[in-house]
Amino acid sequence: MAEVSNAAKTPQGPIQVPTRLLMGPGPTSAHPRILAAQALPLLGHMHPPFIAIMDEIKEGLRYMFQTESPYTLMISGTGHAGMEAAVANLPELGEKIVVGVNGIWGERVADLAGRYQGDVIQLKADAGKTFSIAELKAAVAQHKPAILFLVQGESSTG
């Protein structure tokens, strides 16, 4: 039998992560309460305590978005995963979707919406520029879309 090599053995002590203030579009710094929660034992997604925690989070999201919708939920994934979940689940096939395209994220939404067989109307602006309320109202009045999709922070344009 071959001998076990320790050449690639991993460090044995705790991982040392330096404290940094992250101020970019992502990742961002987490509140100490969040960091403490991440150190707690894991729960299964069907355990009653997990469901209670999710219900509390959903209630907070409903407050934040000022909605009573029981379908408010969070996505455990990247911003791109949330974006695709919205595009994949909100429109019906062939419905009009006006997408504000002023950077790479708007382009990705337009591409995704087309792949999900939406009738995509691109409202374009130069990278880093915003859309005026008048432009948005005109696009909605002209196209009468089921969805208006705008990117809040185009990280690709600073």
Side-chain angles (χ1 to χ4, degrees):
M1 184 184 284
E3 192 171 315
V4 174
S5 169
N6 287 325
K9 192 172 181 181
T10 60
Q12 299 301 301
I15 297 172
Q16 301 297 320
V17 179
T19 301
R20 296 279 190 266
L21 176 60
L22 302 175
M23 298 181 65
T28 60
S29 296
H31 189 276
R33 180 177 178 230
I34 302 302
L35 296 175
Q38 290 178 327
L40 295 173
L42 298 177
L43 293 172
H45 69 282
M46 296 303 288
H47 290 140
F50 182 89
I51 293 169
I53 292 166
M54 286 298 294
D55 287 344
E56 181 182 339
I57 291 168
K58 286 169 39 177
E59 195 60 39
L61 288 171
R62 281 192 282 276
Y63 171 77
M64 182 174 72
F65 290 112
Q66 291 295 289
T67 182
E68 297 297 320
S69 173
Y71 304 110
T72 306
L73 58 104
M74 68 177 188
I75 306 270
S76 177
T78 63
H80 195 280
M83 186 173 69
E84 184 162 1
V87 171
N89 289 286
L90 290 175
E92 297 292 328
L93 293 179
E95 279 187 328
K96 287 184 182 178
I97 305 166
V98 172
V99 178
V101 177
N102 60 340
I104 193 166
W105 294 107
E107 290 174 6
R108 287 183 180 182
V109 170
D111 180 55
L112 278 171
R115 289 174 186 235
Y116 281 104
Q117 300 178 13
D119 181 5
V120 181
I121 297 102
Q122 294 188 32
L123 181 62
K124 293 191 175 193
D126 290 335
K129 302 295 180 188
T130 60
F131 301 98
S132 70
I133 296 296
E135 289 174 300
L136 298 174
K137 284 182 176 181
V140 169
Q142 178 183 352
H143 300 290
K144 297 177 181 36
I147 296 171
L148 169 63
F149 198 112
L150 301 171
V151 175
Q152 179 185 4
E154 263 295 352
S155 61
S156 60
T157 58

